[in-house]
């Protein structure tokens, strides 16, 4: 059923108040097709919605927001790995924990990432050194203009760091309906991030006998200790991508700021955007309804449930200050609508 003039505040984790002209929750492929043809007849833009944890509503949306509620999760363990077929409306964290509970390894580093399965390929979600593309097999998506279903392999998706073809060449052309993953049987733990290592040391766990469940627990604890829960303090996670710069820029910055946090990424360097924002003096600062989280400067928060303008205004001020102080350009990670 298509509803008119619906408030999207409960549907975005930044809790920005904004209306959508039309709203549909779809639970089957036929319902999705019907919603798409409604939008086509009225020439409406479409906003596919999962959990709303990676969007910024800059104003009212003049089209049809489609909440993709397709359900279904099939998990087939094999050794310490196996295969997973998940419909787009399944919760991502539920999928991770369902695999970990069956003794399967490979997704534990991606525990507690908010949102739904259908959005995971959009920005190739990643955390603690693992990205969706490392476990990805294929996906099914409905073409918005025709309602036809298409299969995409990993190479079709053109995954990159927090990026995919669905944010570029094929943006706004498909709705992802199902994601298929393959977890290798010869699982090895990946715990190179300092925060994870520290947690494991504190627990006194033997690094040679770690289980996927232990790592998922460690990731959950570490994340809970420093990231604000959106239902308590509205936020969209990391607001900016970590900028990737060439070796010359990195060396010049490192000479000026010996404690710069950066990691080699091929021939380039990935700078920790949170460090740049913190060092520019923004951590914990509040601008009326919005602010910068006191423990993690990369997370913009909206405790006063301010407007999209308030959020994007703060983001612009931070990016401009970081540009002035470090000569580095910050790009927002969440997508702005409309
Ligand atoms: P939404 O916000 O609803 O949508 C995001 C984008 O995908 C929009 O452009 C939307 O139109 C599109 N989209 C959604 N569903 C579909 C679909 N079925 N078909 C086509 N397009 C679709 N991200 C990480 O990568 N790593 C992290 O560790 C991480 N941690 C986070 C922590 C917090 C506290 C928060 C709030 C966010 C975090 N994020 C992280 C960002 C976010 O959780 C992910 O990007 C997640 O995949 C978004 O899922 P969603 O269902 O909420 O997507
Ligand atoms: P962190 O562990 O404090 O690390 C700070 C930054 O350094 C991260 O951005 C991370 O890059 C990078 N980093 C740390 N150790 C690294 C290593 N061994 N190799 C390569 N890069 C390394 O970061 P955090 O903010 O607490 O987040 C922890 C993880 O969760 C990160 O992977 C982060 O991306 C993810 N996360 C993402 C979001 C989001 O909305 N996108 C929100 C919260 C957390 P990467 O970001 O590239 O990993």
């Amino acid at each position: 059923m298509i509803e008119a003039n619906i408030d999207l505040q409960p549907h975005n984790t930044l809790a920005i108040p904004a209306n959508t002209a039309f709203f549909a929750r779809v639970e089957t492929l036929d319902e999705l097709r019907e919603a798409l043809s409604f939008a086509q007849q009225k020439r409406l833009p479409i906003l596919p919605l999962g959990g709303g944890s990676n969007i910024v509503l800059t104003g009212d949306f003049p089209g049809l927001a489609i909440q993709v509620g397709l359900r279904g999760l099939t998990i087939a363990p094999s050794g310490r790995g196996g295969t997973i077929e998940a419909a787009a409306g399944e919760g991502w964290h539920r999928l991770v924990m369902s695999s970990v509970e069956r003794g399967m390894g490979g997704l534990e580093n991606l525990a507690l990432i908010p949102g739904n399965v259908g959005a995971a390929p959009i920005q190739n979600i990643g955390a603690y050194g693992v990205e969706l593309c490392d476990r990805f097999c294929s996906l099914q998506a409905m073409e918005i203009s025709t309602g036809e279903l298409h299969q995409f392999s990993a190479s079709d998706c053109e995954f990159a760091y927090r990026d995919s073809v669905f944010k570029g060449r094929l943006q706004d052309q498909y709705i992802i309906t199902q994601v298929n993953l393959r977890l290798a049987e010869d699982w090895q733990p990946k715990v190179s991030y300092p925060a994870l290592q520290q947690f494991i040391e504190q627990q006194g766990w033997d690094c040679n006998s770690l289980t996927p469940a232990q790592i998922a627990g460690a990731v959950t604890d570490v994340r809970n200790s420093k990231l604000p829960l959106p239902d308590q303090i509205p936020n969209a996670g990391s607001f900016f991508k970590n900028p990737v710069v060439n070796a010359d820029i990195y060396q010049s910055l490192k000479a000026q700021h010996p404690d710069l946090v950066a990691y080699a990424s091929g021939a380039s360097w990935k700078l920790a955007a949170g460090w740049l924002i913190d060092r520019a003096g923004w951590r914990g600062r509040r601008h009326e309804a919005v602010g910068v989280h006191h423990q993690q400067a990369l997370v913009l928060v909206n405790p006063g449930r301010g407007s999209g303008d308030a959020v994007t205004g703060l983001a612009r001020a931070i990016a401009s200050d970081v540009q002035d102080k470090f000569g580095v350009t910050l790009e927002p990670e969440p997508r702005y609508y409309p």
Side-chain angles (χ1 to χ4, degrees):
M1 191 188 62
I2 290 169
E3 298 170 273
N5 209 23
I6 294 293
D7 182 8
L8 288 177
Q9 193 172 38
H11 298 286
N12 74 98
T13 62
L14 270 165
I16 292 172
N19 280 3
T20 177
F22 296 97
F23 180 89
R25 177 175 164 83
V26 298
E27 294 184 354
T28 65
L29 292 174
D30 284 342
E31 286 176 3
L32 177 55
R33 255 185 219 106
E34 278 168 36
L36 293 179
S37 82
F38 172 87
Q40 205 163 37
Q41 281 159 25
K42 290 192 171 300
R43 297 175 181 277
L44 298 171
I46 283 169
L47 162 51
L49 261 183
S53 64
N54 215 19
I55 57 170
V56 180
L57 296 169
T58 56
D60 289 341
F61 184 69
L64 171 65
I66 301 180
Q67 189 170 54
V68 183
L70 304 164
R71 302 303 294 267
L73 182 59
T74 307
I75 302 186
S78 169
R80 293 199 93 167
T83 57
I84 300 174
E85 296 174 359
E90 291 291 335
W92 175 260
H93 178 65
R94 184 172 104 85
L95 178 158
V96 171
M97 294 317 291
S98 302
S99 69
V100 164
E101 281 156 14
R102 287 165 174 77
M104 296 162 74
L107 295 175
E108 56 286 345
N109 291 39
L110 303 178
L112 223 61
I113 297 182
N116 291 352
V117 165
I122 302 290
Q123 74 154 359
N124 182 24
I125 55 169
Y128 298 101
V130 173
E131 293 179 321
L132 178 82
C133 65
D134 300 327
R135 315 291 180 239
F136 181 87
C137 181
S138 63
L139 65 77
Q140 183 193 59
M142 188 177 283
E143 192 172 16
I144 288 177
S145 61
T146 62
E148 282 171 13
L149 291 173
H150 293 262
Q151 299 292 326
F152 287 77
S153 67
S155 67
D156 295 333
C157 293
E158 297 174 15
F159 289 123
Y161 182 60
R162 303 287 186 271
D163 198 19
S164 77
V165 72
F166 303 106
K167 283 179 91 173
R169 207 161 45 78
L170 298 184
Q171 180 164 292
D172 296 331
Q173 293 187 37
Y174 286 90
I175 301 218
I176 294 171
T177 52
Q178 181 172 317
V179 176
N180 305 317
L181 306 175
R182 185 178 294 124
L183 309 185
E185 290 187 23
D186 58 344
W187 172 78
Q188 293 293 327
K190 201 160 180 183
V191 289
S192 58
Y193 274 43
L196 273 189
Q197 277 176 1
Q198 211 182 335
F199 183 91
I200 288 163
E201 273 165 33
Q202 279 165 2
Q203 302 301 308
W205 291 344
D206 177 359
C207 274
N208 297 314
S209 60
L210 288 171
T211 65
Q214 278 179 311
I215 298 172
V219 167
T220 302
D221 272 40
V222 171
R223 291 181 70 111
N224 276 334
S225 72
K226 57 177 173 179
L227 283 171
L229 289 173
D231 52 0
Q232 287 168 14
I233 308 176
N235 74 88
S238 305
F239 201 90
F240 298 99
K241 294 189 229 175
N242 288 326
V244 178
V245 299
N246 67 33
D248 290 345
I249 295 176
Y250 162 72
Q251 270 150 16
S252 143
L253 280 170
K254 187 76 181 167
Q256 293 167 61
H257 309 280
D259 56 342
L260 174 75
V261 178
Y263 293 86
S265 168
S268 305
W269 286 81
K270 176 180 72 179
L271 310 179
W275 185 92
L276 297 169
I277 298 166
D278 188 0
R279 197 46 62 95
W282 288 91
R283 181 153 62 92
R285 269 166 72 174
R286 181 90 188 248
H287 269 231
E288 296 174 1
V290 297
V292 180
H293 192 244
H294 62 101
Q295 273 172 299
Q296 171 50 287
L298 197 46
V299 176
L300 303 196
V301 291
N302 189 14
R305 286 152 172 80
S307 65
D309 280 348
V311 175
T312 56
L314 175 62
R316 266 198 310 278
I318 292 171
S320 147
D321 195 31
V322 165
Q323 183 80 54
D324 290 347
K325 290 186 169 129
F326 301 101
V328 172
T329 305
L330 291 183
E331 268 180 51
E333 182 185 285
R335 177 146 174 217
Y336 289 14
Y337 288 93

